[in-house]
Amino acid sequence: MLVNTVPQRRFDYEAYLSFVKELLVNNSTTGPDQSDFLVKFTALNLTRMQRIVKTFIFEEELQTIISQLKKRYLFIVITEAWCGDAAQILPIIYHIATANPTHIDLQLVLRDENPLFMDKYLTNGTRSIPKLIIYDLATAKEVVHWGPRPKQLQLYINDLKAKGLDKEEWIERVMLWYTKDKTITTQKELAELLDSME
């Protein structure tokens, strides 16, 4: 059953933002690693999320698919406040959910609080996030899952790593990729995902 599968502590999007803001007031972040690097990245991520929410423009195809959903769904996103990919993708999923609140309920859970749940959705053996898991509320069954990032971006990251860039360098390039892409690639991939559900 769904109730036994999904973690009990969940946040809606606004509650999650409030939680992250409170953490930053105390110079902390989510998860066990409280390094200055991750706290700084959390602050950057909060700014990114707020900017993307304000500047977001729907791709027509995605908007149409959302409006035509017939079933009711629970969207669970596994995330952490320090995760750069999550900061770029969560606002998009938030807009998807708010575009059709009758059929979509969005809830966020923290990766490091829920290792057993996270381990069902590993990417090449790693706990990469964000991960979107979609459940049919009528049947309480998982329909599909996606993440941690668009396939096109993952190929780009693989190439950067193959060229020997260190983590800090390729993360910087990834954030630039997201900025230049303006959410379009992610929207197209999520449109395909949602279109496959019904």
Side-chain angles (χ1 to χ4, degrees), residues 85-105:
D85 288 292
Q88 300 284 351
I89 292 167
L90 275 175
I92 303 171
I93 298 173
Y94 166 74
H95 273 289
I96 290 171
T98 55
N100 191 344
T102 305
H103 291 90
I104 302 171
D105 177 20

Side-chain angles (χ1 to χ4, degrees), residues 66 69 71-75 93 96-106 137 194:
I66 296 164
L69 291 174
K71 298 177 182 177
R72 291 183 63 238
Y73 296 100
L74 172 63
F75 283 30
I93 298 173
I96 290 171
T98 55
N100 191 344
T102 305
H103 291 90
I104 302 171
D105 177 20
L106 172 62
L137 280 170
L194 298 181

Side-chain angles (χ1 to χ4, degrees), residues 53-95:
V53 162
K54 286 178 183 174
T55 60
F56 181 82
I57 299 170
F58 262 114
E59 288 288 293
E60 189 176 342
E61 181 190 11
L62 177 57
Q63 200 164 27
T64 301
I65 290 165
I66 296 164
S67 69
Q68 293 172 348
L69 291 174
K70 297 177 182 69
K71 298 177 182 177
R72 291 183 63 238
Y73 296 100
L74 172 63
F75 283 30
I76 294 288
V77 180
I78 307 172
T79 188
E80 291 287 346
W82 45 259
C83 176
D85 288 292
Q88 300 284 351
I89 292 167
L90 275 175
I92 303 171
I93 298 173
Y94 166 74
H95 273 289

Side-chain angles (χ1 to χ4, degrees), residues 2-197:
L2 182 65
V3 72
N4 296 324
T5 305
V6 178
Q8 292 301 303
R9 185 161 102 126
R10 307 177 208 165
F11 302 86
D12 65 27
Y13 188 81
E14 297 300 335
Y16 176 75
L17 287 185
S18 296
F19 177 62
V20 173
K21 287 174 186 175
E22 286 173 23
L23 289 172
L24 285 170
V25 167
N26 297 308
N27 203 37
S28 61
T29 186
T30 57
D33 184 346
Q34 295 293 314
S35 67
D36 289 343
F37 176 78
L38 289 188
V39 172
K40 182 183 172 186
F41 220 77
T42 299
L44 283 172
N45 286 340
L46 184 60
T47 302
R48 284 186 182 113
M49 290 172 73
Q50 291 168 330
R51 186 189 71 242
I52 295 166
V53 162
K54 286 178 183 174
T55 60
F56 181 82
I57 299 170
F58 262 114
E59 288 288 293
E60 189 176 342
E61 181 190 11
L62 177 57
Q63 200 164 27
T64 301
I65 290 165
I66 296 164
S67 69
Q68 293 172 348
L69 291 174
K70 297 177 182 69
K71 298 177 182 177
R72 291 183 63 238
Y73 296 100
L74 172 63
F75 283 30
I76 294 288
V77 180
I78 307 172
T79 188
E80 291 287 346
W82 45 259
C83 176
D85 288 292
Q88 300 284 351
I89 292 167
L90 275 175
I92 303 171
I93 298 173
Y94 166 74
H95 273 289
I96 290 171
T98 55
N100 191 344
T102 305
H103 291 90
I104 302 171
D105 177 20
L106 172 62
Q107 301 287 317
L108 312 179
V109 301
L110 298 175
R111 182 191 76 169
D112 295 335
E113 277 186 5
N114 301 285
L116 295 178
F117 184 64
M118 177 71 243
D119 286 352
K120 296 176 184 177
Y121 302 102
L122 298 179
T123 303
N124 300 321
T126 67
R127 292 176 174 169
S128 300
I129 50 174
K131 282 283 187 169
L132 167 64
I133 305 104
I134 301 176
Y135 297 87
D136 182 330
L137 280 170
T139 63
K141 290 184 179 176
E142 181 184 324
V143 180
V144 69
H145 64 269
W146 178 90
R149 58 180 68 95
K151 290 171 191 159
Q152 183 182 326
L153 175 55
Q154 186 59 58
L155 291 173
Y156 177 55
I157 291 171
N158 294 347
D159 184 53
L160 293 176
K161 288 180 176 179
K163 288 176 178 172
L165 272 72
D166 65 31
K167 189 172 184 179
E168 205 166 315
E169 286 179 302
W170 66 254
I171 286 174
E172 188 177 328
R173 296 209 190 180
V174 166
M175 293 302 110
L176 283 172
W177 183 95
Y178 277 118
T179 301
K180 289 176 183 175
D181 189 66
K182 299 184 188 301
T183 77
I184 292 169
T185 301
T186 305
Q187 285 197 60
K188 287 181 177 176
E189 214 167 286
L190 290 172
E192 288 176 17
L193 186 81
L194 298 181
D195 198 35
S196 72
M197 298 192 316

